[in-house]
Amino acid sequence: MYYGGIEAGGTKFVCAVSDENQKIIARIKFPTNSPQETIKNIKQFFEKYQLEKLAVGAFGPIGINKKNPDYGYVKETPKAGWQHFNFLGELKKFIHVPIVWTTDVNIASYGEYRKGAAINKSSAVYLTVGTGIGGGLIYKDDVYQNWNHPEMGHIKVAPMKGDNFTGDCPYHKNCLEGMAAGPALEARACKKAFDLNKDDPIWRLEAFYLAQAAMTYTLLYAPEIVIFGGGVSNQQQLFPLIRKSFAKQLNQYVNTPPLDEYLVHAQLGDDAGITGALLLAHGK
Amino acid sequence: MYYGGIEAGGTKFVCAVSDENQKIIARIKFPTNSPQETIKNIKQFFEKYQLEKLAVGAFGPIGINKKNPDYGYVKETPKAGWQHFNFLGELKKFIHVPIVWTTDVNIASYGEYRKGAAINKSSAVYLTVGTGIGGGLIYKDDVYQNWNHPEMGHIKVAPMKGDNFTGDCPYHKNCLEGMAAGPALEARACKKAFDLNKDDPIWRLEAFYLAQAAMTYTLLYAPEIVIFGGGVSNQQQLFPLIRKSFAKQLNQYVNTPPLDEYLVHAQLGDDAGITGALLLAHGK
C-alpha cells in the first residue's frame, strides 16, 4: 500500500512515497522548471509505485472549488509558464487514483498539525512569513477549504502609530503581506532582513503586525494554536515581542491557551509540506 | 416527534417547538429577566412536549469548548445576574435529551443559511450590525465552532483616511464594533442612526468599515455569501456603498460571486434565530 505526496512550490518540487506505516520509502527534489518538464519528472518518479492515493499541495493561487471551471488549475502567478495551467488535469492523465488537491501552505499546515508544533491539538493556524505571507487552518482534522482557500496574507491591518509605510502589495495598501513580509521589512530598512540586528526596532514593528494578524485569526478561527513558519519567523527574537503585542492588542477579550504555548515557532522546517501531503494521502 | 429551539437574547427569549415536518406548533416570547425566572418560563413551556432534541442559541460570550470548565456557561456579560451562569447545566436538570449549545448569532446564521438569504448556498457568513456587531460562519452544513466561537465584531480595522474616531469599545481601539456599530455612528453624528439622512456622508464611512470586514471574512473564510442583518443593516442605502467599497478594497485579488448576490441583506428578520435553532435541533 503506497501513498504519494507532492509539494509543488514556486522554486522547488518535492515528491515522496510512503508505505502503509507512514514510512517514507522514496523521495526526490527538483527545481520548478516549466510545467511540461515538471510533469515529466513527476511521472517518472511515481511510475514505479502503485499508489492508493495522492495528495498535492501547490503554489497558488489555485482553483480549489469543484463547481468552478478553474478547479485544479494554477491561476494568476508570476511564475513563467504556469499561468492558467491545468495541473490536476495533467496529473490525472497518468495517476488514476483519488487525488487530494490543495495549496502548498495547507499541506505544511497539516504536517505541523499532525507531526509538528500542533501535535495533540484539535485545530491549528499555520502562517508562513517569508518573501510572502500565507496561511492554512486545520479544523475538524482537515484543511479548511471553502469557495476558495484562505488568503491569510492579504487581510488589511491597522497601521502602527507612526508607521507611514503603506505596503508594497500591488493589489492593496496596508495588507499584512505588503506591510510585514520580508520585502516590506527590507524596503523600510534598506537592507536584507537577516542583516538586521536582533535588537533593531523594526522587529517590534514586525511583531505588532504579526500579533495583529494572530489576533484576527484568533477571533475568527479560534484555533488551539498559531504556528509561525517561513524565513522571517526564524528570527527567534520575534516571539517574545509577538506575544507581548498580542496580549496588549487582544486585551483579554477572549481566552487563549498560555501565549508561550499558543504563539509558537514551526517545528518541521522544510519537511512540513511533504510530511503533510503524505499524511493527507494516507488519511487517519 | 418534537424538536425544541431557544433563542436566548439579551433582551428577549423566544422558545418554540416544531414537529417532524419542521412545522412550528408552539412558540412564546418573554423578556430576559433573571436567570431563575427565565429558567422557570422555559421549563413551563417545554414540559408539555416530549422532545427529541433541543438547540439553544445564547447571548454571549458563552463557553462552547467542551474541554473547558466554563462549557455551557454565560461568561462575562453586562446583563445583571447572568455573569458566570451555568445555563446549559440548568437546562439539563429538566431536559434529558441531546442539546445543541451555541451562540444567538450562530442560530440566526443557520436560519438564514437554511431558509433565508443563503438558500442553495454551501456556506455563509452572517453579520448582525446593531448596538453591537457579531457574526456566524456556516461551513460544511454546520455552525463553525472551535476552541471558541467566532468574534467577528472585534477584529481590528484600518481607519478610513480622515476618520480620527478610534472607537468606543472598552477592550480595544479600532475594532469593527467600536468603529461601526450603532453607538459608534451615533457618537460621531451626535444623533440616533435612524434620524440620519439617507445621503449623510456617514453611511459611506460605515460602508467602508463593513466592506473592509467583509473583505477579511472573504479572505479568511471564503464563504459563498455574506449576509448583513441587524438594525443598522436595515438602512438599505448602505448596500450599494458596501459593494462599491468592497470592490475597491479587495481589488479583485480573489474571485467572489457577483457582488449584488454576494453582499446581501438578511431575509428572515427577527425569525432567523428561532428558525435556525429549530433546524439545528431537527438536523438535516
Side-chain angles (χ1 to χ4, degrees), chain B residues 129 160 180 182 185-186 192-210 231-242 245:
Chain B
V129 187
M160 190 175 182
L185 283 180
E186 295 172 5
K192 287 283 172 194
F194 47 77
D195 287 337
L196 290 161
N197 280 332
K198 302 234 172 286
D199 57 359
D200 192 296
I202 206 166
W203 298 117
R204 212 167 66 81
L205 180 130
E206 178 72 4
F208 170 83
Y209 291 115
L210 295 180
V232 173
S233 306
N234 287 333
Q235 303 281 337
Q236 289 292 335
Q237 74 279 10
L238 269 174
F239 285 83
L241 299 172
I242 292 172
S245 180

Side-chain angles (χ1 to χ4, degrees), chain B residues 27-44:
Chain B
R27 175 179 175 141
I28 52 159
K29 190 163 113 174
F30 50 87
T32 308
N33 292 325
S34 71
Q36 293 68 30
E37 199 175 324
T38 303
I39 289 290
K40 211 182 81 187
N41 287 337
I42 294 170
K43 192 172 174 182
Q44 208 164 36

Side-chain angles (χ1 to χ4, degrees), chain A residues 84 91 102 124-125 279:
Chain A
H84 310 291
L91 291 174
T102 190
V125 162
L279 289 167

